Amino acid sequence: MIGFITEFYTSHSYTPVRDVALSAETGAATNIIYGLALGYQSVILPVIIISIIMFTSVKMCGMYGVALAALGMLSTLATCLAIDVYGPI
């Protein structure tokens, strides 16, 4: 789910990136302000999703559930890092 949200906010196929490009036509200041606002907006859903996951894991298994949820999120770190580093190649 977080991957799809990231794709939506970073792909040129969707409107947020096109809107940033349109804001660049009016000047650098509007581009910076719009890009910053879009960056703040793009983290709302992932933070909510991670918060729900952590809350659910605490209620189900206590701190052991939090450890398992954190380990599950960290297990994808190597793949995401490799994609980010070697993506353009």
Side-chain angles (χ1 to χ4, degrees), residues 8-25 31 34 38:
F8 177 74
Y9 280 102
T10 58
S11 175
H12 62 83
S13 302
Y14 298 106
T15 56
V17 175
R18 292 182 182 172
D19 290 343
V20 170
L22 287 175
S23 72
E25 292 177 355
N31 188 21
Y34 191 81
L38 189 64

Side-chain angles (χ1 to χ4, degrees), residues 2 6 11-12 19 23 34 40 45 47 50 54 56 61-62 64 73 78 85 87:
I2 293 175
T6 303
S11 175
H12 62 83
D19 290 343
S23 72
Y34 191 81
Y40 289 150
L45 281 176
V47 166
I50 291 172
M54 287 297 165
T56 305
C61 301
Y64 182 69
M73 285 185 271
V85 172

Side-chain angles (χ1 to χ4, degrees), residues 50-66:
I50 291 172
S51 300
I52 290 170
I53 290 169
M54 287 297 165
F55 180 76
T56 305
S57 64
V58 166
K59 289 299 178 186
M60 290 178 70
C61 301
M63 286 307 290
Y64 182 69
V66 173

Side-chain angles (χ1 to χ4, degrees), residues 24-38:
E25 292 177 355
T26 58
T30 54
N31 188 21
I32 291 171
I33 292 169
Y34 191 81
L36 192 60
L38 189 64

